[in-house]
Amino acid sequence: MFVAYYPSWFSVFYGAFLSLVMLRLSSGGVMSWQETLVLSIVAFVLWLAVFILQGIGLYKMAKKANVKRRYLAFVPFGQIFLVGELAGEISFFGHKIRRLGLYALILEIVAAVYYVVFAYSLYVLFVENGPNIEIVTNYPQWTNLSSYALGWKKFYDISTFVIEIMSLIHAIVILMLYLGFYKRYSYRNNVILSLGGIFIPFFNGIATFVLRNREQVDYEAIMRARQEEIRRRQQQWQNTQNPYGGTYNGPYGNQGPYAGGNAGNSGSQAPSSPEDPFGEFSEKPKADDDPFA
């Protein structure tokens, strides 16, 4: 599974949970509810610490940008909406997307509910029915499950596919959202930072706190100014390649041998014939000069 695509709190919990489960099973033991509770508390504390850091960062950014509802910086699921407000209109492959923060908010609420239910299925299968697990080719298999546990086993099997799809959609939306966000606060590194937020748990929260004192910039205006500068330099370079100045229409520009007028224009004069350098030898000799006369 693409654990890094999940929300940060679930990434920590799920990754640590499965690791500890496999460790217990490999040693012939089972996972206890006390260990599950400890893992849940650790995951929650880590999430809460980064949540507060990101909230401080978002609140300060929103205050500088005069964004309303900046109290959402300290509201669960409200943070992602505020990120969208700060990012503004998102440009993705030439398409303008508005209110992406709202779509991300809805997606995260739906995903969070599903993940909580999925976490409960993990408890039923790996904790309550831990003694019924057999490891077959490094994969857990259950025997003697009750009808209640069997229902959660079916949900667990389906979820391994559903969560893959859900987490991939979540990753794409978050990537688009934070690309727009980081363009406003760190446009030179926006791609690297956005990818870091996808593959490293808690990365976006910490990065937001670090960037909290940055001033918001207009990325589109910066890109237009850069393109204009590139065009200006190209024009200067083309002018320097023309040794005769003016518009470079030919090997002689506007100062060629016929600069007095363009060929084909009315009023232009054809050039006179050049002198024949061997003219003195082409003249007919006089009779007195002919030695064979």
Side-chain angles (χ1 to χ4, degrees):
M1 290 187 179
F2 302 113
V3 177
Y5 289 166
Y6 303 154
S8 296
W9 63 269
F10 189 76
S11 299
V12 175
F13 170 78
Y14 187 52
F17 181 85
L18 287 186
S19 299
L20 192 54
V21 164
M22 297 307 293
L23 179 63
R24 284 286 182 269
L25 292 175
S26 63
S27 61
V30 295
M31 189 79 168
S32 66
W33 69 266
Q34 293 92 341
E35 291 172 322
T36 305
L37 179 61
V38 170
L39 281 177
S40 301
I41 293 174
V42 170
F44 175 77
V45 169
L46 289 175
W47 170 82
L48 182 62
V50 178
F51 177 82
I52 294 174
L53 289 178
Q54 186 169 18
I56 294 172
L58 286 175
Y59 186 88
K60 193 164 187 178
M61 290 175 172
K63 187 175 182 180
K64 283 187 174 184
N66 293 320
V67 174
K68 297 180 180 179
R69 296 187 292 272
R70 47 182 176 264
Y71 62 85
L72 292 175
F74 299 101
V75 177
F77 304 108
Q79 283 188 345
I80 199 66
F81 178 80
L82 192 57
V83 169
E85 293 295 294
L86 290 170
E89 190 176 64
I90 306 296
S91 179
F92 194 73
F93 290 104
H95 299 282
K96 300 292 186 179
I97 304 176
R98 296 180 179 179
R99 304 189 68 81
L100 186 59
L102 177 61
Y103 304 144
L105 168 65
I106 297 172
L107 176 62
E108 288 212 339
I109 291 176
V110 173
V113 172
Y114 194 93
Y115 291 147
V116 168
V117 177
F118 180 68
Y120 181 73
S121 73
L122 295 177
Y123 175 79
V124 171
L125 295 175
F126 288 95
V127 179
E128 290 186 349
N129 291 275
N132 300 325
I133 297 177
E134 294 180 358
I135 301 299
V136 180
T137 61
N138 296 324
Y139 191 80
Q141 298 290 336
W142 286 265
T143 58
N144 301 322
L145 290 178
S146 65
S147 58
Y148 177 78
L150 189 59
W152 283 109
K153 173 64 169 58
K154 293 179 180 179
F155 177 81
Y156 172 82
D157 292 337
I158 295 174
S159 295
T160 56
F161 173 75
V162 173
I163 291 180
E164 290 285 350
I165 302 301
M166 189 181 300
S167 60
L168 182 60
I169 295 174
H170 179 264
I172 294 173
V173 172
I174 293 300
L175 178 63
M176 294 169 56
L177 185 62
Y178 274 94
L179 276 172
F181 176 75
Y182 288 128
K183 281 179 180 178
R184 294 294 189 95
Y185 292 98
S186 183
Y187 65 91
R188 291 186 178 90
N189 303 307
N190 68 90
V191 175
I192 296 175
L193 293 175
S194 300
L195 291 176
I198 294 297
F199 295 105
I200 303 175
F202 304 123
F203 181 88
N204 285 327
I206 297 173
T208 301
F209 179 78
V210 172
L211 298 173
R212 68 190 183 279
N213 293 320
R214 295 280 186 93
E215 295 292 338
Q216 196 178 72
V217 300
D218 189 340
Y219 178 81
E220 301 296 335
I222 292 175
M223 292 298 102
R224 287 194 299 268
R226 284 191 173 185
Q227 291 173 357
E228 183 62 29
E229 178 66 16
I230 291 173
R231 284 194 293 268
R232 186 181 65 81
R233 292 187 179 185
Q234 287 178 340
Q235 185 63 38
Q236 290 178 346
W237 182 83
Q238 290 175 355
N239 291 339
T240 60
Q241 302 307 302
N242 183 355
Y244 301 103
T247 304
Y248 192 73
N249 294 323
Y252 300 103
N254 292 331
Q255 299 185 15
Y258 312 120
N262 296 327
N265 291 343
S266 60
S268 61
Q269 297 180 355
S272 59
S273 301
E275 293 184 359
D276 185 359
F278 302 101
E280 59 178 316
F281 300 104
S282 62
E283 295 179 357
K284 291 183 178 181
K286 297 178 180 181
D288 295 342
D289 297 332
D290 186 359
F292 303 103

